Amino acid sequence: MYLFHSASKLSQFIQIQRNKYSKSIGFVPTMGALHQGHQSLVQASKSKAGLTVCSIFVNPTQFNQKSDLENYPKTLSKDIELLIKVGCDVLFFPTVQEIYPEGTSKKDLPEFDLAPLDSILEGKFRPGHFQGVAQVVSRLLAITTPDYLFLGQKDYQQIQIIKRLVNIQTIPVEIISCPIIREEDGLALSSRNVRLTPELKKQAHIIFNTLNWVKDHFHIYSVEELQEKAWSKLDIPGFKTEYFEIVDGQTLEKWISPQKPQSIIACVAVWVGEVRLIDNMVIK
Ligand code: AMP
């Protein structure tokens, strides 16, 4: 596996791979602390693209709490081992300066028109988060110029935001969304799970069970009843639900019966002890 710190050297390398060796490029952006969820994205890229590039970059502009940025787990040598094991071709591991040469203060960064997608669900609780996501993805796509971009459905709203970004900037990339990889008990894999206490980790599968319950009872109860019952299922010591919403899968606006959108998704964010977990499930 090749390791690049420099954006310009990586761009040159990718151009050679594309022009001289006719390779298509698959790109998997991550923030590291890799697990089987990330691994599945690399594998999906390897089965579709000629060259798979993974990035590890903990993007400061998408964190709205300094402590969350500071506490974000870092496991670089294990990450490199995992990437080599799955056969990733290139790891891009830039510094903040490399990604944001003009700095990271708001006035130096572009502002994208993401409304209203960036102010609902996650956006309501993490103001500015999706602008940060769009800023880093826009920069990473400019550097890696991929044919395919692999994203996890775990961050469902993030996919909708990146689709919007790609549309605004007319970036010629195909977005491929990959299924959520879960622990055996149903807990969605997340880099943040390592910060759960063992007791709370044992209970965190209740989030998945609740989503499943809502899916199974979708035709029995009204949306309001489903949401109310979901909240009470998650009302256990150590848990604090931030939102549980049943939304149109494209607009992410609250689903109102009898509207018939292409898909309906249940999205949830819960504080489990000191750790904020998100999950979602396609209901219909
Ligand atoms: P992160 O490192 O958390 O920024 O995630 C990098 C990519 O991995 C994003 O596209 C995530 O949606 C995806 N991802 C994270 N967790 C999972 C999971 N459990 N299953 C599938 N994809 C995931």
Side-chain angles (χ1 to χ4, degrees), residues 220-240:
I220 301 171
Y221 295 109
S222 70
V223 177
E224 289 72 26
E225 286 169 327
L226 287 169
Q227 284 183 189
E228 202 185 302
K229 286 175 193 293
W231 272 81
S232 64
K233 282 176 187 299
L234 291 165
D235 186 15
I236 49 176
F239 283 46
K240 191 172 169 291

Side-chain angles (χ1 to χ4, degrees), residues 143-154:
I143 295 165
T144 56
T145 59
D147 301 283
Y148 310 108
L149 173 62
F150 295 85
L151 300 170
Q153 267 174 41
K154 162 83 172 25

